[in-house]
Amino acid sequence: MKELKNKVDSIRRTLKAKGINEVTATQIEAKILELCPDFPDDWCSDIRTEVINNLVADLKTPELEHTELAPVESELETTPSLETSEELQTIAPLETPKDLETIAPLETSNHLVENTQSGELALQETSELVASTAESMGIALNIEDVTAIAENFDYASTNSDDELEEIKTAITAFVQHKAALSRQKIQHIVQEVKQTIHNLDAENSELLNDGLRSISQDIKSGSERFRQQTRQALKVFALPPSKAG
């Protein structure tokens, strides 16, 4: 049957394209007639695909089912024995990271409290020394000024001569700085006042000039009206020209 031979040749070319050369024409023909007994009436593309899949499946052999897997020495060597794991458990540290986490914050917080308390005490003592030194110098400082000066010193007051001199120097520098700021503010205010006066003078001068110009225009207009009225009055008294006899 020529039509059957054409199908066999077509399937054989497809198998060769897949790299399968072991299937013979007889095997292909037998598989076609097996899956499509009423060839060529029932032949279709789905049956063709089924024939090809069955032929490929027949070539596969279950080699892996009969092979024994040899033990892998590297895996056996890396797998710890039961005794080794028990030894590792006994060597493990008693303190876990959680234990350390619960202990460390307590110690840290205690140090922070102690440092804060000592720092506040030192600042208080230094502030008292700054206030008393400023009073002895005849300088009046408020609480904010005293604290600002005391925060520049890292030591508590011991009333030593060197520390007192440094505090006096700091007080003097602080007072001079505030005085300089006050001078800047005063100069700024004076400048603003001068500028305001200048602006007012300019406005007043402009108003005065506008007023004078208005008065001058009014005078000119009045003079012009006066001259017109005078000419009209003279016309009333004007005599007609005399006739010759």
Side-chain angles (χ1 to χ4, degrees), residues 56-215:
V56 174
D58 292 342
L59 293 175
K60 294 182 179 179
T61 55
E63 298 176 354
L64 296 178
E65 294 180 358
H66 302 286
T67 57
E68 295 183 359
L69 297 176
V72 181
E73 295 181 358
S74 59
E75 294 180 356
L76 295 176
E77 291 176 356
T78 56
T79 304
S81 62
L82 180 61
E83 295 179 356
T84 306
S85 61
E86 291 179 353
E87 291 177 357
L88 291 175
Q89 292 178 358
T90 57
I91 298 174
L94 296 177
E95 293 183 355
T96 61
K98 292 183 178 179
D99 298 331
L100 296 176
E101 290 177 0
T102 55
I103 295 173
L106 292 176
E107 296 178 352
T108 304
S109 61
N110 290 335
H111 288 303
L112 290 175
V113 171
E114 292 176 358
N115 293 335
T116 302
Q117 291 177 350
S118 60
E120 291 177 353
L121 181 60
L123 179 60
Q124 182 179 359
E125 292 178 354
T126 307
S127 298
E128 293 175 356
L129 182 58
V130 170
S132 61
T133 304
E135 185 177 0
S136 65
M137 296 171 65
I139 299 174
L141 298 176
N142 55 35
I143 297 176
E144 290 78 8
D145 295 341
V146 171
T147 304
I149 296 173
E151 287 177 348
N152 294 324
F153 296 92
D154 297 331
Y155 49 78
S157 61
T158 57
N159 294 329
S160 65
D161 294 337
D162 293 338
E163 292 174 355
L164 289 175
E165 289 299 325
E166 291 184 7
I167 289 176
K168 288 181 180 180
T169 303
I171 293 173
T172 302
F174 182 80
V175 172
Q176 290 176 348
H177 176 67
K178 290 194 68 175
L181 293 178
S182 298
R183 283 195 300 271
Q184 290 179 358
K185 290 180 180 179
I186 292 172
Q187 291 174 355
H188 182 68
I189 293 172
V190 170
Q191 187 64 28
E192 286 184 347
V193 172
K194 287 183 177 180
Q195 186 64 37
T196 302
I197 294 173
H198 175 74
N199 294 337
L200 291 175
D201 288 342
E203 292 178 1
N204 293 334
S205 178
E206 187 176 357
L207 288 173
L208 178 60
N209 292 331
D210 292 342
L212 293 175
R213 282 193 295 269
S214 178
I215 292 171

Side-chain angles (χ1 to χ4, degrees), residues 8-25 28 52 56 59:
V8 170
D9 293 340
S10 176
I11 292 174
R12 193 171 187 182
R13 286 194 297 270
T14 301
L15 292 174
K16 286 184 178 180
K18 294 179 179 290
I20 300 173
N21 300 317
E22 296 87 354
V23 182
T24 63
I28 296 173
I52 294 173
V56 174
L59 293 175

